[in-house]
Amino acid sequence: MRITLKTTSNTSIIPFNYQQKMIGTIHKWIGNNEIHDKISLYSFSWLHGGKLVKDKGFDFPEGAIFFISFYENKYLKILIDTILSDSEMFCGLEVKDITIEKQPVFRKEPLVFRLASPVFIKRNIDGNNKFFFYTDEESSVLMTETLRHKMQIAGLPDDETLKVEFDLSYPVKQVKMVTIHGIKNKASMCPVIIHGTPESKLFAWTVGAGNNSGAGFGGLI
């Protein structure tokens, strides 16, 4: 289940590294809940519709648009109820409209998903964190591994045809630096191609691709 939210215009410039503010806002809306200690079966996009303010951040004179998706609908219902009573976000943004999106119907054929936020891939190797990008051959295996693990946690049947890979034909792919709570993370801004059953594609559309979807990475459109 996915909702799209539209906001009022901001009253102060939104900083480049606003993602931690997004995380804090969503956690506020969800409230004290066991979901914070689980692997994220949800995803959310970055803010869209803004203008770059050179060397300062972003401005959203017409308001911002973003989405939040949850595999377990009960959490999204909690979120909606809370937003209706506490619509405030940050930098003057307030939710003014909530739309429940109709779930797409997918086919068996491989499908390209555009990104609403970059894909983050990280593994701990010999005690050190290693980031993987669209340039790394291992990335497809790791993204597939992560999505399959989330499907297992959700109780979904195994999909032997499942495969997630970057669309390397995308002409403006890039690696982005994202700082959250002072920690610098590198992620890939490059669409992904997902092979698998329609149910697997719908699950990926909901929970995102790669790691840390609960921190605003890997949102799929």
Side-chain angles (χ1 to χ4, degrees):
M1 185 176 179
R2 171 174 293 185
I3 58 173
T4 295
L5 301 98
K6 296 181 180 179
T7 77
T8 61
S9 58
N10 52 301
T11 56
S12 61
I13 297 299
I14 294 174
F16 290 114
N17 294 319
Y18 66 83
Q19 287 75 23
Q20 65 189 54
K21 295 181 182 294
M22 289 280 288
I23 296 168
T25 298
I26 291 173
H27 281 202
K28 176 190 73 170
W29 287 336
I30 296 174
N32 294 324
N33 205 297
E34 73 276 5
I35 194 172
H36 300 304
D37 299 319
K38 294 180 178 180
I39 288 187
S40 302
L41 297 185
Y42 64 97
S43 64
F44 60 93
S45 70
W46 286 6
L47 300 175
H48 294 272
K51 299 178 180 179
L52 179 67
V53 180
K54 188 176 180 181
D55 300 327
K56 293 182 178 180
F58 301 99
D59 187 31
F60 291 84
E62 304 298 324
I65 298 176
F66 67 104
F67 70 74
I68 306 174
S69 298
F70 272 85
Y71 175 68
E72 297 170 284
N73 290 345
K74 63 180 181 179
Y75 294 115
L76 205 51
K77 291 175 181 176
I78 291 172
L79 199 78
I80 293 172
D81 287 342
T82 307
I83 293 172
L84 291 175
S85 61
D86 180 10
S87 60
E88 184 178 354
M89 294 179 60
F90 51 87
C91 299
L93 296 179
E94 292 189 31
V95 176
K96 66 176 183 179
D97 184 71
I98 303 172
T99 302
I100 298 175
E101 299 294 339
K102 183 178 180 180
Q103 289 187 336
V105 177
F106 296 110
R107 299 181 180 180
K108 293 182 179 179
E109 292 79 13
L111 182 65
V112 177
F113 287 84
R114 293 178 292 121
L115 299 187
S117 55
V119 175
F120 179 65
I121 308 171
K122 183 180 75 171
R123 290 294 186 274
N124 187 285
I125 300 175
D126 297 327
N128 296 308
N129 289 327
K130 177 175 173 56
F131 302 110
F132 294 86
F133 313 106
Y134 63 84
T135 51
D136 296 304
E137 294 182 0
E138 305 97 321
S139 291
S140 177
V141 172
L142 297 176
M143 287 191 292
T144 305
E145 175 185 273
T146 298
L147 186 58
R148 176 169 279 117
H149 181 52
K150 289 188 175 184
M151 290 175 66
Q152 292 171 347
I153 291 173
L156 296 177
D158 185 43
D159 179 3
E160 294 182 354
T161 64
L162 182 66
K163 181 181 179 181
V164 186
E165 60 182 335
F166 284 113
D167 179 10
L168 298 180
S169 68
Y170 184 62
V172 289
K173 50 190 175 290
Q174 60 178 310
V175 173
K176 294 184 70 69
M177 177 74 77
V178 184
T179 302
I180 299 177
H181 298 303
I183 299 174
K184 296 183 182 298
N185 304 280
K186 290 183 178 180
S188 297
M189 205 64 189
C190 178
V192 297
I193 303 170
I194 298 183
H195 308 249
T197 65
E199 292 77 16
S200 296
K201 294 185 181 74
L202 178 60
F203 184 75
W205 177 84
T206 304
V207 306
N211 301 111
N212 287 24
S213 63
F217 289 103
L220 300 181
I221 304 173

